[in-house]
Amino acid sequence: MRTTLLTLLFLISSLMSSAQTFDIDTTLYNGNNRINVVILGDGYILSELPKLVSDATNFSNYFFSISPYKEYKDYFNIFTIKVPSNESGASHPGTATDVTEPDHPISSVDNYFGSTFDQHGIHRLIVPTKLNEVTNVLANNIPTYNQVLILVNT
């Protein structure tokens, strides 16, 4: 029993110590009890985080310029979590089956959420592959999110 309790305490403390928080930019805030949309950036290195904020603002402005969202803008909050990647961009493994030649040079990029093209055999489909990282960043920074969007710097 004592060993089980000590093991449980060790696991909890190790999980809590790995909790990482990042700077958050509030793109749009309309108060409490709103739909919280969180934008995560992938493939933005530290020096490119201002570009992430700009890209998130541009997305938000466009999103709320079209119906039906422009009529409901007051019901949303938009937050951008500034997560730096080790390298800029997204991976292009060249494994898609819907093209005969890759339109882009094959590359492997060390980005935070593992965003990569060529997923499910589709050349232009980009997907984050490190879903645990996405979940952890959301849980440790804005656990009250309703919707998440990942902007990839590519």
Side-chain angles (χ1 to χ4, degrees):
M1 176 73 173
R2 184 175 179 184
T3 304
T4 304
L5 183 59
L6 288 174
T7 303
L8 183 60
L9 288 173
F10 174 75
L11 287 173
I12 291 171
S13 67
S14 66
L15 287 173
M16 292 179 76
S17 67
S18 67
Q20 189 169 8
T21 59
F22 297 97
D23 288 339
I24 298 172
D25 184 80
T26 303
T27 304
L28 176 68
Y29 187 76
N30 284 306
N32 295 326
N33 299 319
R34 299 293 190 254
I35 299 168
N36 291 325
V37 177
V38 176
I39 298 175
L40 300 173
D42 201 15
Y44 292 86
I45 60 173
L46 189 61
S47 64
E48 293 172 327
L49 291 179
K51 181 182 183 312
L52 166 62
V53 172
S54 176
D55 290 347
T57 300
N58 290 339
F59 167 79
S60 179
N61 289 340
Y62 174 74
F63 185 77
F64 290 113
S65 73
I66 56 175
S67 288
Y69 303 106
K70 68 180 175 182
E71 290 83 10
Y72 294 97
K73 181 178 180 179
D74 294 342
Y75 295 93
F76 287 86
N77 294 322
I78 308 286
F79 303 100
T80 303
I81 302 176
K82 298 189 264 184
V83 181
S85 290
N86 290 327
E87 294 181 328
S88 184
S91 294
H92 289 266
T95 57
T97 56
D98 66 337
V99 294
T100 55
E101 293 182 25
D103 291 338
H104 198 279
I106 293 173
S107 65
S108 179
V109 175
D110 182 12
N111 53 32
Y112 198 88
F113 299 115
S115 294
T116 181
F117 284 94
D118 298 340
Q119 293 298 292
H120 306 288
I122 302 170
H123 177 69
R124 295 184 67 169
L125 179 58
I126 188 167
V127 174
T129 59
K130 298 177 183 175
L131 299 180
N132 283 340
E133 296 297 333
V134 173
T135 302
N136 289 338
V137 168
L138 290 168
N140 294 320
N141 291 272
I142 304 181
T144 59
Y145 74 95
N146 298 106
Q147 186 67 42
V148 62
L149 171 75
I150 299 177
L151 293 180
V152 182
N153 185 23
T154 182

